[in-house]
Amino acid sequence: MQTVFITGASRGIGLEFVRQYAAAGERVIATCRRPAAAADLASLAARYPDRVEVERLDVTDHAAVDGLATRLAGIAIDVLINN
């Protein structure tokens, strides 16, 4: 199983990447600015609780990027989709 990290995963192509990778059995770390407002992403996380992890991330907020990097320390990212 690969670990796929996707930014901008709450809608559009980012959400579709989450859907496709999760359905294929990959682990997905899906990020978006407002997870509480991302109903479709939450639905995928509920459907694939062992594969989809949702994280809050605004890529323009350097402190948030650093904080997420600290939380994910030690996790190998096989695929990065910076959407």
Coordinates of all heavy atoms in Angstrom, one line a residue:
M1 N 0.9 -1.2 0.0 CA 0.0 0.0 0.0 C 0.9 1.2 0.0 O 1.8 1.4 0.8 CB -0.9 0.0 1.2 CG -1.7 1.3 1.4 SD -2.7 1.5 2.9 CE -3.2 -0.1 3.4
Q2 N 0.6 2.2 -0.9 CA 1.3 3.4 -1.0 C 0.6 4.5 -0.1 O -0.6 4.3 0.2 CB 1.3 4.0 -2.4 CG 2.1 3.1 -3.4 CD 2.1 3.8 -4.7 OE1 3.1 4.6 -5.0 NE2 1.1 3.6 -5.5
T3 N 1.4 5.5 0.3 CA 0.8 6.6 1.0 C 0.8 7.8 0.0 O 1.8 8.1 -0.5 CB 1.5 7.0 2.3 OG1 1.5 5.9 3.2 CG2 0.9 8.2 2.9
V4 N -0.4 8.3 -0.2 CA -0.6 9.4 -1.2 C -1.0 10.7 -0.4 O -2.0 10.6 0.4 CB -1.7 9.1 -2.2 CG1 -1.9 10.2 -3.3 CG2 -1.4 7.7 -2.9
F5 N -0.3 11.8 -0.6 CA -0.6 13.0 0.0 C -1.2 14.0 -1.0 O -0.5 14.2 -2.0 CB 0.7 13.6 0.6 CG 0.5 14.8 1.5 CD1 0.4 14.7 2.8 CD2 0.4 16.1 0.9 CE1 0.3 15.9 3.6 CE2 0.3 17.2 1.7 CZ 0.2 17.1 3.0
I6 N -2.4 14.5 -0.7 CA -3.1 15.3 -1.7 C -3.5 16.6 -1.1 O -4.2 16.6 -0.1 CB -4.4 14.6 -2.3 CG1 -4.0 13.3 -2.9 CG2 -5.1 15.5 -3.3 CD1 -5.2 12.4 -3.2
T7 N -3.0 17.7 -1.7 CA -3.5 19.0 -1.2 C -4.7 19.4 -2.0 O -4.9 19.0 -3.1 CB -2.4 20.1 -1.4 OG1 -2.1 20.3 -2.8 CG2 -1.1 19.7 -0.6
G8 N -5.5 20.3 -1.5 CA -6.7 20.8 -2.2 C -7.7 19.7 -2.5 O -8.2 19.6 -3.6
A9 N -7.9 18.8 -1.5 CA -8.7 17.6 -1.7 C -10.2 17.7 -1.4 O -10.9 16.7 -1.4 CB -8.1 16.5 -0.8
S10 N -10.7 18.9 -1.1 CA -12.1 19.0 -0.7 C -13.1 19.0 -1.9 O -14.3 18.8 -1.7 CB -12.3 20.3 0.1 OG -12.0 21.4 -0.6
R11 N -12.6 19.3 -3.1 CA -13.5 19.3 -4.2 C -12.8 19.1 -5.5 O -11.6 19.1 -5.6 CB -14.3 20.6 -4.2 CG -13.4 21.9 -4.3 CD -14.2 23.1 -4.2 NE -13.4 24.3 -4.2 CZ -13.1 25.0 -5.3 NH1 -13.7 24.7 -6.4 NH2 -12.3 26.0 -5.3
G12 N -13.5 19.0 -6.6 CA -13.0 18.9 -7.9 C -12.0 17.8 -8.1 O -12.2 16.7 -7.6
I13 N -10.9 18.1 -8.8 CA -9.9 17.0 -9.2 C -9.3 16.5 -7.9 O -9.0 15.3 -7.9 CB -8.9 17.5 -10.2 CG1 -8.2 16.4 -10.8 CG2 -8.0 18.6 -9.6 CD1 -7.4 16.7 -12.1
G14 N -9.0 17.3 -6.9 CA -8.4 16.8 -5.7 C -9.3 15.8 -5.0 O -8.8 14.7 -4.6
L15 N -10.6 16.0 -4.9 CA -11.5 15.1 -4.3 C -11.5 13.8 -5.2 O -11.6 12.7 -4.6 CB -12.9 15.7 -4.2 CG -14.0 14.8 -3.6 CD1 -13.6 14.6 -2.1 CD2 -15.3 15.5 -3.7
E16 N -11.5 13.9 -6.5 CA -11.5 12.7 -7.3 C -10.3 11.9 -7.2 O -10.3 10.7 -7.2 CB -11.7 13.1 -8.8 CG -11.9 11.9 -9.7 CD -13.1 11.0 -9.4 OE1 -14.1 11.5 -8.8 OE2 -13.0 9.8 -9.8
F17 N -9.1 12.6 -7.0 CA -7.9 11.8 -6.7 C -8.0 11.0 -5.4 O -7.7 9.9 -5.3 CB -6.7 12.7 -6.6 CG -6.0 13.1 -7.9 CD1 -5.8 14.4 -8.2 CD2 -5.6 12.1 -8.8 CE1 -5.2 14.8 -9.4 CE2 -5.0 12.5 -10.0 CZ -4.8 13.8 -10.3
V18 N -8.6 11.6 -4.4 CA -8.9 10.9 -3.1 C -9.7 9.7 -3.4 O -9.4 8.6 -2.9 CB -9.5 11.9 -2.1 CG1 -9.9 11.1 -0.8 CG2 -8.6 13.0 -1.7
R19 N -10.8 9.9 -4.1 CA -11.8 8.8 -4.4 C -11.1 7.7 -5.1 O -11.2 6.5 -4.7 CB -12.9 9.4 -5.2 CG -14.0 8.3 -5.5 CD -15.2 9.0 -6.3 NE -15.9 9.9 -5.5 CZ -16.0 11.2 -5.6 NH1 -15.4 11.8 -6.7 NH2 -16.7 11.9 -4.8
Q20 N -10.3 8.0 -6.1 CA -9.7 7.0 -6.9 C -8.6 6.2 -6.2 O -8.5 5.0 -6.2 CB -9.1 7.6 -8.2 CG -10.1 8.2 -9.2 CD -10.9 7.1 -9.9 OE1 -10.3 6.0 -10.2 NE2 -12.1 7.4 -10.1
Y21 N -7.7 6.9 -5.5 CA -6.7 6.2 -4.7 C -7.2 5.4 -3.6 O -6.8 4.3 -3.3 CB -5.7 7.2 -4.2 CG -4.6 7.6 -5.2 CD1 -4.6 8.9 -5.8 CD2 -3.6 6.7 -5.6 CE1 -3.6 9.2 -6.8 CE2 -2.6 7.0 -6.5 CZ -2.7 8.3 -7.1 OH -1.7 8.6 -8.0
A22 N -8.2 5.9 -2.8 CA -8.8 5.2 -1.7 C -9.5 3.9 -2.3 O -9.3 2.8 -1.7 CB -9.8 6.0 -1.0
A23 N -10.2 4.0 -3.4 CA -10.9 2.8 -4.0 C -9.9 1.8 -4.4 O -10.1 0.6 -4.4 CB -11.8 3.3 -5.2
A24 N -8.7 2.3 -4.8 CA -7.6 1.3 -5.3 C -6.9 0.7 -4.1 O -6.0 -0.1 -4.3 CB -6.6 2.1 -6.2
G25 N -7.2 1.1 -2.9 CA -6.6 0.5 -1.7 C -5.4 1.2 -1.1 O -4.8 0.7 -0.2
E26 N -5.2 2.4 -1.6 CA -4.0 3.2 -1.1 C -4.4 4.0 0.1 O -5.6 4.3 0.3 CB -3.5 4.1 -2.2 CG -3.2 3.5 -3.5 CD -2.1 2.4 -3.5 OE1 -1.4 2.3 -2.5 OE2 -1.9 1.7 -4.5
R27 N -3.4 4.3 0.9 CA -3.6 5.2 2.1 C -3.5 6.6 1.5 O -2.6 7.0 0.8 CB -2.5 5.0 3.1 CG -2.7 6.0 4.3 CD -1.6 5.8 5.3 NE -1.8 6.7 6.4 CZ -0.8 7.1 7.2 NH1 0.4 6.6 7.1 NH2 -1.0 7.9 8.1
V28 N -4.5 7.5 1.9 CA -4.6 8.8 1.4 C -4.6 9.8 2.6 O -5.4 9.7 3.5 CB -5.8 9.1 0.6 CG1 -5.9 10.5 0.1 CG2 -5.9 8.1 -0.6
I29 N -3.7 10.8 2.6 CA -3.7 11.9 3.5 C -4.2 13.1 2.6 O -3.5 13.6 1.7 CB -2.3 12.2 4.0 CG1 -1.8 11.0 4.8 CG2 -2.4 13.4 5.0 CD1 -0.3 11.1 5.2
A30 N -5.5 13.4 2.9 CA -6.2 14.4 2.1 C -6.2 15.7 2.9 O -6.6 15.8 4.0 CB -7.6 14.0 1.8
T31 N -5.7 16.8 2.3 CA -5.7 18.1 3.0 C -6.6 19.1 2.3 O -6.8 19.1 1.1 CB -4.2 18.6 3.1 OG1 -3.8 19.0 1.8 CG2 -3.3 17.6 3.7
C32 N -7.1 20.0 3.2 CA -7.9 21.1 2.7 C -7.9 22.2 3.7 O -7.5 22.0 4.9 CB -9.3 20.7 2.3 SG -10.3 20.1 3.7
R33 N -8.3 23.4 3.3 CA -8.3 24.5 4.2 C -9.3 24.4 5.3 O -9.1 24.9 6.4 CB -8.4 25.9 3.5 CG -7.2 26.2 2.7 CD -7.4 27.5 1.9 NE -8.3 27.1 0.8 CZ -8.7 28.0 -0.1 NH1 -8.5 29.3 0.0 NH2 -9.5 27.6 -1.1
R34 N -10.5 24.0 5.0 CA -11.6 23.9 5.9 C -12.3 22.5 5.9 O -13.3 22.3 5.3 CB -12.7 25.0 5.5 CG -12.1 26.4 5.7 CD -13.2 27.5 5.3 NE -13.8 27.3 4.0 CZ -13.3 27.7 2.9 NH1 -12.1 28.4 2.8 NH2 -13.9 27.5 1.7
P35 N -11.7 21.6 6.6 CA -12.3 20.2 6.7 C -13.7 20.2 7.2 O -14.5 19.4 6.7 CB -11.4 19.5 7.7 CG -10.1 20.2 7.6 CD -10.4 21.7 7.4
A36 N -14.1 21.1 8.1 CA -15.5 21.1 8.6 C -16.5 21.4 7.5 O -17.7 21.0 7.6 CB -15.6 22.1 9.7
A37 N -16.1 22.1 6.5 CA -17.0 22.5 5.4 C -16.8 21.5 4.2 O -17.5 21.7 3.1 CB -16.7 23.9 4.9
A38 N -16.1 20.5 4.3 CA -15.8 19.5 3.2 C -16.6 18.3 3.3 O -16.1 17.2 3.6 CB -14.3 19.2 3.1
A39 N -17.9 18.4 3.1 CA -18.8 17.2 3.3 C -18.5 16.0 2.4 O -18.5 14.9 2.9 CB -20.3 17.7 3.1
D40 N -18.2 16.3 1.2 CA -17.9 15.1 0.3 C -16.6 14.4 0.7 O -16.5 13.2 0.7 CB -17.8 15.6 -1.1 CG -19.1 16.1 -1.7 OD1 -20.1 15.6 -1.2 OD2 -19.1 16.9 -2.7
L41 N -15.6 15.2 1.2 CA -14.4 14.6 1.6 C -14.6 13.8 2.9 O -14.1 12.7 3.1 CB -13.3 15.7 1.9 CG -11.9 15.2 2.3 CD1 -11.3 14.2 1.3 CD2 -11.0 16.4 2.4
A42 N -15.4 14.4 3.8 CA -15.8 13.7 5.1 C -16.5 12.3 4.8 O -16.3 11.3 5.4 CB -16.6 14.5 5.9
S43 N -17.3 12.4 3.7 CA -18.0 11.2 3.3 C -17.1 10.1 2.9 O -17.2 8.9 3.2 CB -19.0 11.5 2.2 OG -19.7 10.3 1.7
L44 N -16.0 10.5 2.1 CA -15.0 9.5 1.7 C -14.2 9.0 2.9 O -13.9 7.8 2.9 CB -14.1 10.1 0.6 CG -14.6 10.3 -0.8 CD1 -13.6 11.0 -1.6 CD2 -14.9 8.9 -1.4
A45 N -13.9 9.8 3.8 CA -13.2 9.4 5.0 C -14.0 8.4 5.8 O -13.5 7.5 6.4 CB -12.8 10.6 5.8
A46 N -15.3 8.6 5.9 CA -16.2 7.7 6.6 C -16.4 6.4 5.8 O -16.4 5.3 6.4 CB -17.6 8.3 6.7
R47 N -16.3 6.4 4.5 CA -16.5 5.2 3.7 C -15.2 4.4 3.8 O -15.2 3.2 3.7 CB -16.7 5.6 2.2 CG -16.9 4.4 1.3 CD -17.3 4.9 -0.1 NE -17.4 3.7 -0.9 CZ -17.6 3.8 -2.2 NH1 -17.7 5.0 -2.8 NH2 -17.7 2.7 -3.0
Y48 N -14.0 5.1 3.8 CA -12.7 4.4 3.9 C -12.0 4.8 5.2 O -10.9 5.4 5.1 CB -11.9 4.7 2.7 CG -12.5 4.4 1.3 CD1 -13.1 5.3 0.5 CD2 -12.5 3.0 0.9 CE1 -13.6 5.0 -0.7 CE2 -13.1 2.7 -0.3 CZ -13.6 3.7 -1.1 OH -14.2 3.3 -2.3
P49 N -12.5 4.5 6.3 CA -11.8 5.0 7.6 C -10.4 4.5 7.8 O -9.6 5.2 8.4 CB -12.8 4.5 8.7 CG -13.4 3.3 8.1 CD -13.6 3.6 6.6
D50 N -10.1 3.4 7.2 CA -8.7 2.8 7.4 C -7.8 3.3 6.3 O -6.6 3.1 6.3 CB -8.7 1.3 7.4 CG -9.4 0.7 6.1 OD1 -10.2 1.4 5.5 OD2 -9.0 -0.4 5.7
R51 N -8.3 4.1 5.3 CA -7.5 4.6 4.2 C -7.4 6.1 4.0 O -6.4 6.6 3.5 CB -8.0 4.0 2.9 CG -7.7 2.5 2.8 CD -8.2 2.0 1.5 NE -9.1 0.9 1.7 CZ -10.0 0.4 0.9 NH1 -10.1 0.9 -0.3 NH2 -10.8 -0.5 1.3
V52 N -8.4 6.8 4.4 CA -8.5 8.3 4.2 C -8.4 9.0 5.5 O -9.2 8.9 6.4 CB -9.7 8.7 3.4 CG1 -9.8 10.2 3.2 CG2 -9.8 8.0 2.1
E53 N -7.4 9.9 5.6 CA -7.1 10.7 6.7 C -7.2 12.2 6.2 O -6.6 12.5 5.3 CB -5.7 10.5 7.3 CG -5.3 11.4 8.4 CD -3.9 11.1 8.8 OE1 -3.4 10.0 8.6 OE2 -3.2 12.0 9.4
V54 N -8.1 13.0 6.9 CA -8.3 14.4 6.5 C -7.5 15.3 7.4 O -7.6 15.1 8.7 CB -9.8 14.7 6.5 CG1 -9.9 16.2 6.1 CG2 -10.5 13.8 5.5
E55 N -6.7 16.1 6.9 CA -5.9 17.1 7.7 C -6.2 18.5 7.2 O -6.4 18.8 6.0 CB -4.4 16.8 7.5 CG -3.9 15.5 8.1 CD -3.8 15.5 9.6 OE1 -3.8 16.6 10.2 OE2 -3.6 14.5 10.1
R56 N -6.3 19.4 8.1 CA -6.4 20.9 7.8 C -5.1 21.4 7.4 O -4.1 21.2 8.0 CB -6.9 21.6 9.0 CG -7.2 23.1 8.7 CD -7.1 23.9 10.0 NE -7.0 25.4 9.7 CZ -5.9 25.9 9.2 NH1 -4.8 25.2 8.9 NH2 -5.8 27.2 9.0
L57 N -5.1 22.1 6.2 CA -3.8 22.6 5.7 C -4.1 23.8 4.7 O -4.9 23.6 3.7 CB -3.0 21.6 5.0 CG -1.7 22.1 4.4 CD1 -0.7 22.5 5.5 CD2 -1.0 21.0 3.6
D58 N -3.5 24.9 5.0 CA -3.5 26.0 4.0 C -2.1 26.1 3.6 O -1.2 26.5 4.4 CB -4.0 27.3 4.7 CG -4.0 28.5 3.8 OD1 -3.3 28.5 2.7 OD2 -4.7 29.5 4.1
V59 N -1.8 25.8 2.4 CA -0.4 25.8 1.9 C 0.3 27.1 2.0 O 1.6 27.2 1.9 CB -0.2 25.1 0.5 CG1 -0.7 23.7 0.6 CG2 -0.9 25.9 -0.5
T60 N -0.4 28.2 2.1 CA 0.2 29.5 2.2 C 0.5 29.9 3.6 O 1.1 30.9 3.9 CB -0.7 30.6 1.6 OG1 -1.9 30.7 2.4 CG2 -1.1 30.3 0.1
D61 N 0.2 29.1 4.6 CA 0.4 29.3 6.0 C 1.6 28.4 6.4 O 1.5 27.2 6.6 CB -0.8 28.9 6.8 CG -0.6 29.1 8.3 OD1 0.5 29.2 8.8 OD2 -1.7 29.0 9.0
H62 N 2.8 29.0 6.4 CA 4.0 28.3 6.7 C 4.0 27.6 8.0 O 4.5 26.4 8.2 CB 5.2 29.2 6.5 CG 5.4 29.7 5.1 ND1 5.8 28.9 4.1 CD2 5.1 30.9 4.6 CE1 5.8 29.7 3.0 NE2 5.4 30.9 3.3
A63 N 3.4 28.2 9.0 CA 3.4 27.5 10.4 C 2.5 26.3 10.3 O 2.8 25.3 10.9 CB 2.8 28.5 11.4
A64 N 1.4 26.3 9.5 CA 0.5 25.2 9.4 C 1.3 24.0 8.6 O 1.1 22.9 9.0 CB -0.8 25.5 8.7
V65 N 2.0 24.4 7.6 CA 2.8 23.4 6.8 C 3.8 22.7 7.8 O 3.9 21.5 7.8 CB 3.5 24.1 5.6 CG1 4.4 23.1 5.0 CG2 2.4 24.6 4.6
D66 N 4.5 23.6 8.6 CA 5.5 23.0 9.5 C 4.8 22.1 10.5 O 5.4 21.1 10.9 CB 6.3 24.1 10.2 CG 7.2 24.9 9.2 OD1 7.5 24.3 8.1 OD2 7.6 26.0 9.6
G67 N 3.7 22.5 11.0 CA 3.0 21.7 12.0 C 2.5 20.4 11.5 O 2.7 19.4 12.2
L68 N 2.0 20.4 10.3 CA 1.6 19.1 9.7 C 2.8 18.2 9.4 O 2.8 17.0 9.7 CB 0.8 19.4 8.4 CG 0.3 18.1 7.7 CD1 -0.6 17.3 8.7 CD2 -0.5 18.5 6.5
A69 N 3.9 18.8 9.0 CA 5.1 18.0 8.8 C 5.6 17.4 10.0 O 6.0 16.2 10.0 CB 6.2 19.0 8.2
T70 N 5.5 18.1 11.1 CA 5.9 17.5 12.4 C 5.0 16.4 12.8 O 5.4 15.3 13.3 CB 5.8 18.6 13.5 OG1 6.8 19.6 13.2 CG2 6.2 18.1 14.9
R71 N 3.6 16.6 12.6 CA 2.7 15.5 12.9 C 2.9 14.2 12.1 O 2.6 13.1 12.5 CB 1.2 16.0 12.8 CG 0.8 16.9 13.9 CD -0.7 17.1 14.0 NE -1.4 17.5 12.8 CZ -1.4 18.7 12.3 NH1 -0.8 19.7 12.9 NH2 -2.1 19.0 11.2
L72 N 3.3 14.4 10.9 CA 3.5 13.3 9.9 C 5.0 12.8 9.9 O 5.3 12.0 9.0 CB 3.1 13.7 8.5 CG 1.6 14.1 8.4 CD1 1.3 14.5 7.0 CD2 0.7 13.0 8.8
A73 N 5.8 13.3 10.8 CA 7.2 12.9 10.8 C 7.3 11.3 10.9 O 6.6 10.7 11.6 CB 7.9 13.5 12.0
G74 N 8.1 10.8 10.1 CA 8.3 9.3 10.1 C 7.4 8.6 9.1 O 7.6 7.4 8.9
I75 N 6.4 9.3 8.5 CA 5.6 8.6 7.5 C 6.1 8.9 6.1 O 6.3 10.0 5.7 CB 4.1 9.2 7.6 CG1 3.5 8.9 9.0 CG2 3.2 8.6 6.5 CD1 2.2 9.5 9.3
A76 N 6.4 7.8 5.4 CA 6.9 7.9 4.1 C 5.7 8.3 3.1 O 4.7 7.6 3.1 CB 7.5 6.6 3.6
I77 N 5.9 9.3 2.4 CA 5.0 9.8 1.3 C 5.5 9.2 0.0 O 6.6 9.6 -0.5 CB 4.8 11.3 1.3 CG1 4.5 11.9 2.7 CG2 3.9 11.7 0.2 CD1 3.2 11.5 3.2
D78 N 4.7 8.4 -0.6 CA 5.1 7.8 -1.9 C 4.7 8.6 -3.1 O 5.4 8.7 -4.1 CB 4.5 6.4 -2.0 CG 4.9 5.5 -0.9 OD1 6.1 5.2 -0.8 OD2 4.1 5.1 -0.1
V79 N 3.5 9.3 -3.0 CA 3.0 10.1 -4.1 C 2.5 11.4 -3.5 O 1.8 11.4 -2.5 CB 1.8 9.4 -4.8 CG1 1.3 10.3 -5.9 CG2 2.2 8.0 -5.4
L80 N 3.0 12.5 -4.1 CA 2.5 13.9 -3.7 C 1.8 14.5 -4.8 O 2.3 14.6 -5.9 CB 3.7 14.7 -3.3 CG 3.4 16.2 -3.1 CD1 2.4 16.5 -2.0 CD2 4.7 17.0 -3.0
I81 N 0.5 14.9 -4.6 CA -0.3 15.6 -5.6 C -0.6 17.0 -5.0 O -1.4 17.1 -4.1 CB -1.6 14.9 -5.9 CG1 -1.2 13.5 -6.5 CG2 -2.4 15.7 -6.9 CD1 -2.4 12.6 -6.8
N82 N 0.2 18.0 -5.4 CA 0.0 19.3 -5.0 C -1.0 20.0 -5.9 O -0.6 20.6 -6.8 CB 1.4 20.0 -4.9 CG 1.4 21.3 -4.1 OD1 0.4 21.5 -3.3 ND2 2.4 22.1 -4.3
N83 N -2.2 19.9 -5.5 CA -3.3 20.3 -6.4 C -3.7 21.8 -6.1 O -3.9 22.2 -5.0 CB -4.5 19.4 -6.1 CG -5.8 19.9 -6.8 OD1 -5.7 20.2 -8.0 ND2 -6.9 19.8 -6.1

